[in-house]
Amino acid sequence: MEIVEIGGIFGLLLLIADVWAIVNVIGSNRGTGAKVLWILAILIFPLLGFLVWLIFGPRSAKSVRS
């Protein structure tokens, strides 16, 4: 029974992280094509897409330019 609860909590946290990432992608100053690709990556591969976005996404591009 505990495994189901842990999986449910992990799934909920992943959903929250993915929604947060998508909102940040939409609000970024990237082009439409880049935004669509990031959103598709996050939706198709929720965990991997989020992790890749977290490392290489629009947020990291802003900090490199500063």
Side-chain angles (χ1 to χ4, degrees):
M1 207 46 125
E2 293 178 25
I3 295 173
V4 173
E5 292 173 8
I6 293 171
I9 292 171
F10 177 74
L12 179 63
L13 292 175
L14 183 59
L15 176 64
I16 292 169
D18 285 344
V19 168
W20 176 72
I22 290 170
V23 167
N24 279 305
V25 168
I26 292 170
S28 72
N29 59 355
R30 295 288 183 139
T32 304
K35 288 181 183 183
V36 169
L37 289 176
W38 277 119
I39 292 171
L40 284 175
I42 293 168
L43 290 175
I44 294 171
F45 306 106
L47 180 58
L48 183 62
F50 173 73
L51 292 175
V52 170
W53 173 82
L54 197 59
I55 296 168
F56 300 108
R59 222 178 116 118
S60 64
K62 286 181 189 174
S63 63
V64 169
R65 286 187 228 141
S66 299

